[in-house]
Amino acid sequence: MNEIDDPRIPVTIVTGFLGAGKTTLLNHLLTSDHGQKIAVIVNEFGEIGIDHELIVGADDEIIEMNNGCICCTVRGDLVRIALQLLDRKFSMKGQAYNFDRIVIETTGLADPGPVIQTFLAEELLAQFFKMDAVVTLVDACHAHLHLNQGPEAQAQVAFADILLLNKSDLVTVEERTALEARLRHMNVSAPIYHTCQSTLDVRYVLDVNAFDLNHKLEIRPNLLHAHHHHHEDHVHSIILQDERPVQLQKINRFMDEWLVNHAEDTYRYKGIIHVDQVDRRVVFQGVHMMLGINTDLNWRDDEQRLTRIVIIGKNLDEAWFQQRFAECIVESTESTL
């Protein structure tokens, strides 16, 4: 079948290690003027998802899977969600959701191989969906550390049809050149684009027909067969959550202490903070020592104000994080003073 005439729905997988800029790229794709309606499947590592609250766009475009890593749940949830989307697209009853394409954002700890496998090996999905490209974001500042530490980051680069060297403005030309050489050694065929804040012309990542199955089979000959994947036990997520507001100076002090003592072992962290006597959501996200924080939207009148922080890392002392976070909370009597 000629790719141009292929009527199937294109699927783009956005992958990359924790903090590489996947959610930022997703926002860019959702807000760019390309005229397509995108259905998004967001996967998160941890019991409580937060990425969908950091994504701008219509609520009905976002479907979240947060009961573990997408590569561990593909045979169940991913198939079920894809079929639900098909049902909504072709529904004869109720309001149909006529999307043009699917973008899947995997968790930073996901091996993209099983996700690819699902759309190729599940017969019903293969009839209706076609893989367009695996887009892998690489954090130019921390890529060497991530590639040295675990197989997931290496698999994400190896499986890429397109590599986005993100945060490329934050490293020297020499560092960028050395990293490109390493990436090229790991994946000789994928084009490498330099991006800042995950921004580039969407024509480089959507409707590119870049998916190369033969290349994937060279990496993993059993790709189309059953696959079981396990994360290293030392990588886990910590959830900090409370409905009571936090005291600004105390949460700042907690985060300073956290980054000084635990930054190297903290792969990725993000959160929405309910600060006492502040009417706007305080949103932050970071990687290791690099922290970005800003005030976001006003809390809506019908919205529950609460703090939710997700931390993903290795060998983290959860009791320490929970205790230090608890010390930041404003008690009701204190809040009324």
Side-chain angles (χ1 to χ4, degrees), residues 13-22 43 69-71 105-116 133-139 143 146-147 150-164 183 186-187 190 215-216 219-220 229 231 267:
I13 296 173
V14 175
T15 187
F17 205 71
L18 296 155
K22 298 182 295 298
N43 175 231
C69 173
I70 203 169
C71 56
E105 180 197 347
T106 72
T107 169
L109 295 171
D111 176 340
V115 186
I116 299 166
V134 178
V135 179
T136 299
L137 286 99
V138 177
D139 180 342
H146 296 155
L147 291 169
E152 288 88 1
Q154 296 173 22
Q156 290 161 1
V157 171
F159 274 109
D161 298 301
I162 298 166
L163 285 164
L164 302 186
L183 296 175
M186 298 172 67
N187 186 329
H215 171 64
K216 309 296 186 288
I219 303 168
R220 190 168 293 162
H229 172 75
H231 295 301
Y267 291 152

Side-chain angles (χ1 to χ4, degrees), residues 3 48 92 131 174 200 202 206 240 261:
E3 290 286 1
I48 299 177
M92 300 299 292
M131 291 303 308
E174 292 76 18
L200 79 167
V202 298
L206 296 182
L240 308 177
N261 296 315

Side-chain angles (χ1 to χ4, degrees), residues 216-247:
K216 309 296 186 288
L217 292 174
E218 288 174 9
I219 303 168
R220 190 168 293 162
N222 65 344
L223 178 64
L224 299 181
H225 304 292
H227 172 77
H228 299 284
H229 172 75
H230 300 282
H231 295 301
E232 296 177 76
D233 289 337
H234 63 255
V235 177
H236 70 287
S237 62
I238 296 173
I239 310 297
L240 308 177
Q241 176 169 311
D242 203 284
E243 298 176 9
R244 294 168 293 178
V246 300
Q247 211 274 339

